[in-house]
């Protein structure tokens, strides 16, 4: 069954609602909001699939799409859509201490919970009867509903001299990353995810911690799920050390790695 999403538009005179169909759903490595990059394109190794819903999965609907290298996705912030919104928000880019108007940010909590993301098109396939658009460089939560797909047009969409306000350049950190040898060995055995170690490294270099945690000097421990792997690591200053990785779907011997006793 195709999902339906309602958008409420407010005005002084009337409050019309617009019914929108969910065209498809994202399958991405990001199983929770924690660790998702702040913007698309920051981690090329973040691969995803857009699985089109019945009714929107005729081959004709994507005819000609592979002539474009990138796509715009219009999506729903589905996990926060019912949390309301505020005219002022605290952008993480500013350390969470300074407020900006919601329309001056890309905050999740918006009057209409709609997002816009540009992603790289990797291909179109049909698997088990489902039409799937393969993507990379995504910043989307697993399960994100997609409302529309549009081709990215460089001549119109790329504005080299545009001003970016308080986010004028890609975020940079001094974070470094190391792995327990057993963790690296585990990653190298994952033939379905050959770039798993690189993905983990780039996610951690983005420093996904909340701003207030970044000010703490003591060692901190964290965990996240990417694809079907649970990853644990510690942070000391600006260094991340990945200590453990576990397959969250199976309990077989090869699916759990503990740190070495001499670490």
């Amino acid at each position: 069954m195709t999902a339906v999403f309602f958008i409420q538009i407010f005005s002084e005179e009337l409050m019309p609602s617009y019914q929108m169909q969910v065209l498809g759903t994202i399958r991405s490595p990001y199983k929770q909001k924690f660790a998702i990059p702040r913007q698309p394109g920051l981690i090329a190794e973040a691969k995803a699939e857009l699985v089109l819903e019945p009714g929107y999965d005729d081959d004709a609907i994507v005819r000609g799409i592979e002539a474009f290298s990138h796509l715009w996705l219009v999506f729903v912030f589905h996990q926060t859509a019912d949390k309301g919104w505020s005219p002022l928000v605290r952008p993480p880019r500013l350390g969470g201490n300074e407020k900006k108007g919601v329309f001056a940010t890309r905050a999740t909590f918006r009057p209409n919970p709609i997002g816009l993301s540009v992603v790289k098109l990797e291909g179109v396939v049909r698997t088990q009867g489902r039409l799937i658009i393969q993507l990379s460089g995504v910043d989307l939560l697993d399960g994100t509903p997609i409302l529309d797909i549009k081709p990215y047009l460089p001549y119109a969409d790329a504005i080299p001299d545009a001003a970016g306000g308080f986010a004028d350049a890609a975020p940079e950190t001094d974070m470094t990353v190391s792995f327990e040898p057993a963790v690296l060995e585990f990653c190298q055995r994952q033939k379905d995810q050959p770039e798993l170690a690189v993905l983990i490294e780039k996610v951690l270099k983005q420093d996904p911690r909340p701003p207030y945690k970044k000010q703490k000097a003591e060692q901190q421990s964290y965990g996240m799920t990417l694809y079907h792997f649970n990853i644990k690591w510690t942070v000391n200053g600006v260094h991340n050390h990945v200590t453990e990785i576990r397959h969250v779907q199976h309990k077989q011997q090869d699916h759990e790695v503990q740190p070495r006793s001499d670490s």
Side-chain angles (χ1 to χ4, degrees):
M1 179 181 295
T2 301
V4 178
F5 183 75
F6 293 90
I7 300 175
Q8 195 73 34
I9 307 297
F10 297 93
S11 73
E12 294 181 357
E13 298 179 355
L14 69 163
M15 297 171 60
S17 62
Y18 295 86
Q19 180 174 307
M20 293 193 178
Q21 304 293 322
V22 173
L23 307 184
T25 304
I26 288 288
R27 294 176 181 165
S28 91
Y30 304 115
K31 307 305 180 182
Q32 66 267 112
K33 290 180 290 182
F34 182 71
I36 296 179
R38 300 296 182 191
Q39 301 296 336
L42 295 178
I43 301 180
E45 290 77 13
K47 305 294 178 61
E49 295 180 337
L50 170 49
V51 183
L52 295 176
E53 294 288 342
Y56 307 104
D57 62 348
D58 188 288
D59 290 342
I61 206 167
V62 292
R63 182 183 300 170
I65 199 172
E66 291 180 287
F68 300 92
S69 65
H70 291 74
L71 303 173
W72 286 108
L73 301 181
V74 181
F75 64 91
V76 180
F77 290 112
H78 63 296
Q79 280 202 347
T80 57
D82 61 346
K83 301 293 193 299
W85 66 281
S86 172
L88 291 174
V89 298
R90 299 178 185 270
R93 188 67 177 271
L94 298 177
N97 297 317
E98 186 176 343
K99 291 184 178 181
K100 294 289 184 181
V102 67
F103 291 154
T105 76
R106 296 189 176 188
T108 301
F109 301 97
R110 317 188 67 79
N112 292 311
I114 298 172
L116 187 64
S117 188
V118 62
V119 296
K120 185 177 181 182
L121 173 62
E122 296 288 350
V124 179
V125 298
R126 186 172 288 278
T127 303
Q128 296 181 341
R130 304 301 298 272
L131 187 61
I132 297 172
I133 301 177
Q134 299 171 319
L135 309 167
S136 66
V138 302
D139 62 340
L140 299 170
L141 185 67
D142 188 57
T144 294
I146 301 299
L147 299 180
D148 200 10
I149 306 162
K150 302 177 188 294
Y152 176 91
L153 301 179
Y155 82 90
D157 297 336
I159 306 175
D161 58 348
F166 63 85
D168 203 36
E172 295 183 359
T173 75
D174 297 322
M175 302 300 285
T176 57
V177 182
S178 63
F179 295 80
E180 283 292 321
V183 172
L184 277 179
E185 291 170 7
F186 177 91
C187 291
Q188 292 166 359
R189 292 196 297 269
Q190 308 311 308
K191 302 305 181 184
D192 291 340
Q193 306 296 342
E195 298 176 313
L196 179 60
V198 178
L199 175 63
I200 295 170
E201 180 178 4
K202 289 191 174 183
V203 166
L204 297 186
K205 281 187 174 181
Q206 295 283 319
D207 197 358
R209 296 176 297 165
Y212 74 94
K213 289 284 190 179
K214 299 177 183 180
Q215 310 303 320
K216 296 184 179 296
E218 68 271 15
Q219 178 174 296
Q220 304 166 48
S221 298
Y222 294 92
M224 65 180 174
T225 301
L226 293 176
Y227 293 113
H228 45 273
F229 305 102
N230 181 263
I231 299 126
K232 294 182 180 180
W233 75 100
T234 59
V235 182
N236 260 313
V238 296
H239 184 67
N240 301 273
H241 184 63
V242 185
T243 58
E244 181 181 336
I245 186 168
R246 176 182 304 183
H247 197 298
V248 299
Q249 294 182 348
H250 303 287
K251 301 296 183 181
Q252 298 173 5
Q253 182 177 355
D254 193 42
H255 290 155
E256 184 173 342
V257 174
Q258 300 289 345
R260 297 183 304 175
S261 57
D262 61 344
S263 60

